[in-house]
């Protein structure tokens, strides 16, 4: 039988699983570094006559016993239709028998694993005395990041900015009420950057919102929001050059990250500057932060192995709780 998990099913299963999600995402990056998982670069398939792009994000994991493919549709034209720009679904099959174990809606999976990866990277790379968290962007990804990053860290306040002032103030009020941390809306990206010890950029920007001149020694930056397109980025070249760079997966970043591809095309950096992966830092085979004055950057493009890790968690939780719908997909 094949398990079908809808967006509402997944939201309910993930509601109280923050630590489990973070641990699963951390372990999948360790598995990749230690050769226990496979993660090819996803092919990008631009649709002729459209601005839409489709990506098949495949991965396989021996410890998880799964192989998965998430089909991601990136459709900017959906914005005018009032629909999500990115939509996705995850197909999971048994690594042992090839049987189709599950089909999952991708929205909540993607949001949860993206925020968890940021939390893992921040724990590995940020200064231990970081006290101010900055958010540039105020959509659902910003809320997911606030939920993922605040527990267990001694942040004294959050500073944030978004293009929509109303949504910015709503997010600040939600953080104060739901998470119990002081939150302030600042005038713009520069003000948020200059006030932050840890900065998360969470926008689908094409042009850089963060300038390297605004960064300070000791900061940690998570570049998260830009879509998987080589001409989109949130951090300018100077900012990337100033940082010790850690990517989620080199082959994926090399294929679809503007933060990587644009500095390479400009000759500002070489491929060797981008080869340090999060799993290598976690495994201790590559250095992360080496001094309190280091500027560190986690370039998060998002990888299929993270989807696999959360899918494994969800399949097990749904089986234990009797959640979801099961169908006879094949004999």
């Amino acid at each position: 039988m094949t398990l079908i998990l809808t967006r509402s099913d997944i939201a309910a299963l993930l509601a109280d699983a923050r630590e489990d999600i973070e641990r699963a995402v951390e372990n999948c990056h360790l598995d990749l570094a230690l050769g226990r998982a496979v993660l090819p670069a996803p092919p990008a398939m631009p649709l002729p006559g459209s601005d839409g792009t489709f990506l098949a994000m495949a991965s396989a994991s021996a410890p998880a016993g799964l192989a998965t493919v998430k089909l991601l549709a990136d459709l900017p034209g959906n914005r005018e239709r009032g629909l999500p720009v990115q939509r996705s679904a995850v197909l999971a099959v048994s690594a042992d028998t090839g049987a189709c174990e599950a089909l999952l809606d991708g929205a909540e999976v993607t949001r949860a694993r993206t925020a968890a990866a940021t939390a893992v990277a921040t724990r590995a790379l940020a200064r231990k005395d970081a006290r101010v968290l900055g958010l540039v962007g105020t959509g659902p990804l910003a809320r997911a990041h606030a939920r993922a990053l605040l527990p267990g860290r001694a942040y004294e306040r959050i500073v944030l900015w978004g293009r929509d002032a109303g949504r910015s103030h709503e997010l600040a009020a939600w953080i104060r009420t739901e998470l119990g941390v002081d939150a302030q809306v600042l005038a713009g990206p520069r003000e948020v950057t200059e006030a932050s010890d840890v900065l998360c950029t969470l926008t689908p920007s094409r042009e850089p919102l963060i300038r390297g001149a605004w960064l300070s020694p000791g900061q940690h930056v998570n570049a998260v929001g830009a879509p998987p397109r080589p001409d989109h980025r949130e951090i300018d070249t100077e900012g990337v050059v100033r940082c010790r760079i850690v990517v989620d997966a080199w082959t994926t970043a090399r294929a679809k990250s503007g933060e990587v591809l644009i500095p390479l095309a400009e000759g500002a950096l070489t491929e060797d500057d981008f080869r340090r992966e999060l799993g290598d830092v976690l495994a201790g085979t590559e250095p992360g932060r080496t001094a309190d004055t280091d500027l560190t950057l986690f370039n998060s493009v998002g990888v299929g192995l993270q989807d696999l890790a959360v899918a494994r968690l969800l399949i097990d939780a749904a089986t234990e709780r009797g959640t979801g719908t099961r169908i006879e997909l094949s004999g």
Side-chain angles (χ1 to χ4, degrees):
M1 300 290 284
T2 298
L3 174 67
I4 309 296
L5 290 177
T6 67
R7 184 172 182 174
S8 58
D9 292 333
I10 292 167
L13 289 167
L14 293 180
D16 299 315
R18 181 192 62 80
E19 291 183 359
D20 293 334
I21 300 164
E22 187 174 328
R23 189 179 306 111
V25 169
E26 179 176 9
N27 286 339
C28 83
H29 281 282
L30 278 168
D31 289 337
L32 182 62
L34 298 175
R36 300 189 293 239
V38 180
L39 181 67
M45 300 174 284
L47 189 64
S50 165
D51 60 357
T53 296
F54 298 86
L55 288 97
M57 302 172 66
S59 63
S61 167
L66 282 183
T68 62
V69 178
K70 181 170 79 174
L71 183 59
L72 170 67
D74 185 57
L75 302 169
N78 270 1
R79 190 174 287 112
E80 296 179 1
R81 305 183 186 106
L83 298 172
V85 170
Q86 291 191 350
R87 300 175 116 167
S88 60
V90 181
L91 177 69
V93 304
S94 166
D96 182 34
T97 68
C100 182
E101 287 203 19
L103 178 64
L104 305 87
D105 181 76
E108 294 293 334
V109 172
T110 302
R111 192 171 298 136
R113 59 80 152 152
T114 301
T118 299
V120 171
T122 300
R123 179 158 41 84
L125 297 169
R127 295 192 334 263
K128 303 307 178 187
D129 63 347
R131 294 293 179 266
V132 181
L133 173 64
L135 306 176
V136 173
T138 56
L141 195 57
R143 293 199 180 206
H145 273 69
R147 280 195 183 280
L149 288 168
L150 283 174
R153 295 193 68 91
Y155 291 115
E156 296 171 352
R157 65 185 179 122
I158 294 182
V159 293
L160 61 94
W161 172 86
R163 287 189 173 92
D164 186 313
R167 287 178 63 180
S168 298
H169 286 284
E170 286 176 10
L171 176 60
W174 177 81
I175 290 170
R176 290 191 293 266
T177 302
E178 297 295 322
L179 304 178
V181 178
D182 180 43
Q184 301 172 334
V185 179
L186 300 187
R190 178 170 186 167
E191 287 78 5
V192 172
T193 300
E194 292 178 343
S196 301
D197 298 318
V198 172
L199 175 68
C200 300
T201 62
L202 306 162
T203 75
S205 183
R206 183 167 187 166
E207 299 301 325
L209 289 171
I210 309 301
R211 304 292 172 185
W214 305 344
L215 300 175
S216 301
Q219 277 183 310
H220 172 64
V221 181
N222 298 298
V224 181
R229 291 172 178 260
D231 59 346
H232 285 60
R233 59 176 176 166
E234 298 175 289
I235 317 294
D236 72 359
T237 296
E238 180 185 354
V240 176
V241 167
R242 290 187 63 194
C243 292
R244 181 187 300 274
I245 304 153
V246 177
V247 300
D248 42 19
W250 159 242
T251 55
T252 302
R254 181 65 177 86
K256 62 178 185 174
S257 171
E259 257 93 14
V260 171
L261 292 167
I262 294 172
L264 284 178
E266 293 173 350
L269 290 169
T270 70
E271 290 191 352
D272 287 343
D273 295 306
F274 293 100
R275 289 186 181 274
R276 184 181 294 106
E277 295 187 351
L278 178 58
D280 297 325
V281 174
L282 295 173
T285 58
E286 286 284 348
R289 174 173 295 276
T290 61
D292 283 347
T293 54
D294 285 348
L295 257 170
T296 53
L297 169 65
F298 175 52
N299 179 226
S300 174
V301 186
V303 295
L305 190 59
Q306 296 164 348
D307 300 310
L308 182 153
V310 176
R312 176 77 278 164
L313 191 69
L314 287 165
I315 293 166
D316 292 345
T319 300
E320 180 180 340
R321 300 183 197 180
T323 300
T325 303
R326 295 187 179 274
I327 62 170
E328 188 68 47
L329 191 64
S330 61

